[in-house]
Amino acid sequence: MLRPLLFAVASAFVLSACASAPDSSSSSDGAETQAPSPYALGIKTADELVAAGNTPTAIQRLMQLVGDTSITPVERGETLFKLGTLSASPTGYDAEGAVEYFNEVLAGYPNTSAAKQAQAALPGAEATVTAHLATVESVNSSNSEKFLALFKLGRHQEAIDVMVANDIVPSNEELLAMFQIGYLCDDSNLTGRAYSVTDRDGTVRNLRFCDFGK
């Protein structure tokens, strides 16, 4: 699953986005309006991040929401299902995490609509994991194929180890995901190989592996 430690940059983005959100406690004419619930706000933020092409940060936002003690069991089940759905998506890069989320919904919230949806989605997620594992374990797979399979499984550090050891340059999508997750940083003070990445808005960044020892 996506590692919380490697979401430092993403978490900061989420928190700053929430902090800069307009105050919904009053309308333009001075009348008070009810602020959105933590669940509604979390889902809305995640949806906006996905729409902006930043699924990894959306996943991190939902992970924060799952830990919010103010949401109801039904809301938590719905959040876990959404986490599974995003993790299993092409830009979620956490197929094994998706299986875990779906199973958590089934075990913890069996009598909810989220459980029915998780039950339907689970076989596909499990099949995806099996296919990626077959690629990783096959002697006929290239190092690039093994890197991509590991990355899509959610075994990001293992994938990066293969990437570095074999001098693999991933596609822009995988490099951008590594930036969004927090493995690559846009910091001119960093040393090592630079990877040119085009962001969703067209910005070209020269990224290097983050220095977590700082």
Side-chain angles (χ1 to χ4, degrees):
M1 296 175 67
L2 296 172
R3 307 315 192 256
L5 175 62
L6 298 174
F7 269 108
V9 175
S11 296
F13 176 85
V14 170
L15 293 174
S16 64
C18 293
S20 60
D23 184 1
S24 59
S25 61
S26 60
S27 62
S28 58
D29 60 2
E32 291 188 359
T33 58
Q34 185 175 5
S37 68
Y39 173 75
L41 181 59
I43 295 297
K44 180 176 182 292
T45 302
D47 287 343
E48 290 173 346
L49 287 165
V50 171
N54 197 336
T55 301
T57 310
I59 290 173
Q60 171 65 2
R61 180 65 183 93
L62 293 178
M63 289 170 65
Q64 294 172 344
L65 182 59
V66 165
D68 190 326
T69 58
S70 71
I71 67 175
T72 68
V74 170
E75 291 172 339
R76 184 165 287 106
E78 292 288 347
T79 303
L80 286 166
F81 173 72
K82 193 173 183 69
L83 270 168
T85 300
L86 292 184
S87 297
S89 70
T91 54
Y93 297 105
D94 194 9
E96 288 183 323
V99 171
E100 292 180 19
Y101 287 129
F102 291 146
N103 278 322
E104 189 171 351
V105 175
L106 292 171
Y109 311 91
N111 300 315
T112 63
S113 61
K116 294 180 181 179
Q117 293 174 297
Q119 184 69 61
L122 182 58
E126 291 176 330
T128 298
V129 169
T130 298
H132 289 327
L133 288 175
T135 299
V136 172
E137 296 165 2
S138 174
V139 296
N140 297 318
S141 298
S142 67
N143 288 323
S144 293
E145 290 171 333
K146 290 182 178 180
F147 157 78
L148 187 57
L150 286 167
F151 200 71
K152 288 184 174 180
L153 279 168
R155 302 183 185 185
H156 302 138
Q157 188 57 60
E158 289 183 53
I160 289 172
D161 290 343
V162 172
M163 168 187 165
V164 174
N166 296 281
D167 197 27
I168 296 169
V169 179
S171 73
N172 190 80
E173 280 300 304
E174 280 69 57
L175 289 171
L176 182 57
M178 290 164 65
F179 173 56
Q180 293 172 338
I181 293 170
Y183 284 100
L184 294 177
C185 290
D186 189 0
D187 184 347
S188 60
N189 294 319
L190 293 171
T191 59
R193 180 170 183 167
Y195 298 90
S196 179
V197 178
T198 302
D199 211 333
R200 301 296 185 199
D201 61 0
T203 301
V204 177
R205 305 177 186 275
N206 288 314
L207 307 178
R208 293 175 173 82
F209 282 106
C210 305
D211 184 359
F212 297 110
K214 288 185 177 181

